[in-house]
Amino acid sequence: MSSFMKVLVSDGERSARFYEGLGFERVQSEPPFLHLKWRGTADVYLVSMPSGVGMEDRRGVGVLLGFRTGEGGVDAVAALAAQGGVSFEGPTLQPWHTREIVITDPDGYRLNFIEPA
């Protein structure tokens, strides 16, 4: 079973490069939509705002978009983030028996990468 999420972004290509740097795969690009896939389990649709339409300063406040890391785990995603100069929080061992990192994308969405502990 696959899940999907749609996020509004200010610059679709910039956001796509950010996500691809973390290991997402670009599946389709038909502006204003960019379709990305996370390891075959989750689809992310980046939706570019029309020109002239402003975005609020911070998006996704209070929301974590969660992704199971799969092969390589949290450390592999953290390494990709570090290679791209992207800061992250963690890894953190959670009381619910997961190990997690959190990365914030260019538009303020928080991405939570999770593996079993």
Side-chain angles (χ1 to χ4, degrees), residues 21-100:
L22 295 175
F24 287 78
E25 176 188 348
R26 189 181 304 211
V27 176
Q28 190 174 7
S29 180
E30 288 184 33
F33 297 99
L34 284 159
H35 177 190
L36 304 169
K37 191 171 270 298
W38 174 253
R39 300 196 174 168
T41 61
D43 294 285
V44 175
Y45 294 89
L46 304 176
V47 183
S48 296
M49 294 294 293
S51 62
V53 175
M55 289 181 62
E56 298 156 15
D57 287 343
R58 184 148 167 92
R59 309 195 69 70
V61 174
V63 176
L64 286 176
L65 304 175
F67 301 93
R68 290 188 184 128
T69 56
E71 189 174 324
V74 165
D75 293 328
V77 178
L80 288 171
Q83 287 173 2
V86 175
S87 61
F88 54 90
E89 302 166 33
T92 304
L93 184 59
Q94 300 290 2
W96 43 86
H97 309 292
T98 60
R99 192 164 169 261
E100 306 179 6

